[in-house]
Amino acid sequence: MISAIERLRPTRGFTELFVTLSLALLLIWFGLMNISGASGGIVERWIKGHMFLSGLLPHKTYIMWGIGGLQALSGLLIALHSVPDNIKRLAYMFTALYSLGALSLMLTNPVWIDSLGGFPAIGAGQGIIKYLTLLGLAMWRLGSRHAETVMLVGLIVVLAWIGGMKFTSPEADGVDPLLKTSPVFNWWLTAYFTKQGASNVIGVIELITVALLTGYWWNKRLFTLGLFLCAVTFITTLSFMVSFAPTWHSTMGGFPYLSSSGHFLLKDLALLAATFVLASRR
């Protein structure tokens, strides 16, 4: 089985192209969501709940325009082949700084589930921790020798933390609509398991994937299998953007306007790109 998976290993050229297009798409899409106002609810929630920046709430629109403009511009600089490398580096630096800023929200905002006793029961922070992997991708494009470690730790943190949360009732409530509308899961997982049982199955798969990813330090064959499960996981979650209607902002006419759920799901494109980077290592 491992030999068959090895043959699916992405080439360096494919990986670099996928990372470039993924980062460009994420930055441009998120930037346009800020500029259009579709991200207004998300930005307002983070500013209002911030222990230091809540006073900036009246200026929310200008903040969205500013951040959105920088995101979209950075995405365009990354995407355009004609842009000099030294200019592209500025875009990757912005991506790294933006990711660090997003990660800082874990320390300044209410990101825990109070009904489960707070930390470590992560709620709104689930989307934030994905920025650790995005940071690793930006570092990789900047040539940092620590980039792959950051990406791997990012994948492990996301899958372990969110996978562990799958065994809780609030997380089961959240994942249930996704499973019921997905052609990948609705014919077997939600048909033969209870809501909590189905969530538990997903959690077990994610935690097994985490265990296999630790093979990076002790068993490369198991690590390869872990990366394969990562790719399957993130491709599947990205498919929810097609099957789960609330991915799109209904009050703004739906596609291409992302809801908070859409923002959360689309970030898995960065996690998939990081998986390809790690898998392309020889």
Side-chain angles (χ1 to χ4, degrees), residues 45-46 106 110-113 121-129 264 267:
R45 183 171 69 247
W46 290 123
M106 295 290 293
V111 297
W112 316 107
I113 301 177
I122 189 169
Q126 290 187 16
I128 296 175
I129 58 177
F264 178 80
K267 290 173 188 172

Side-chain angles (χ1 to χ4, degrees), residues 37-114:
S39 301
I42 299 173
V43 174
E44 180 174 343
R45 183 171 69 247
W46 290 123
I47 294 177
K48 188 175 181 180
H50 200 285
M51 64 173 62
F52 302 122
L53 303 180
S54 58
L56 296 177
L57 189 59
H59 309 291
K60 178 189 72 173
T61 299
Y62 300 108
I63 293 173
M64 291 171 59
W65 289 348
I67 294 176
L70 289 172
Q71 287 174 315
L73 176 60
S74 296
L76 284 172
L77 293 176
I78 290 172
L80 295 175
H81 181 71
S82 58
V83 175
D85 288 343
N86 61 325
I87 302 298
K88 286 182 182 290
R89 285 185 64 84
L90 294 176
Y92 290 124
M93 287 179 185
F94 166 78
T95 304
L97 290 173
Y98 179 77
S99 297
L100 286 170
L103 287 167
S104 73
L105 295 175
M106 295 290 293
L107 305 175
T108 58
N109 287 71
V111 297
W112 316 107
I113 301 177
D114 292 336

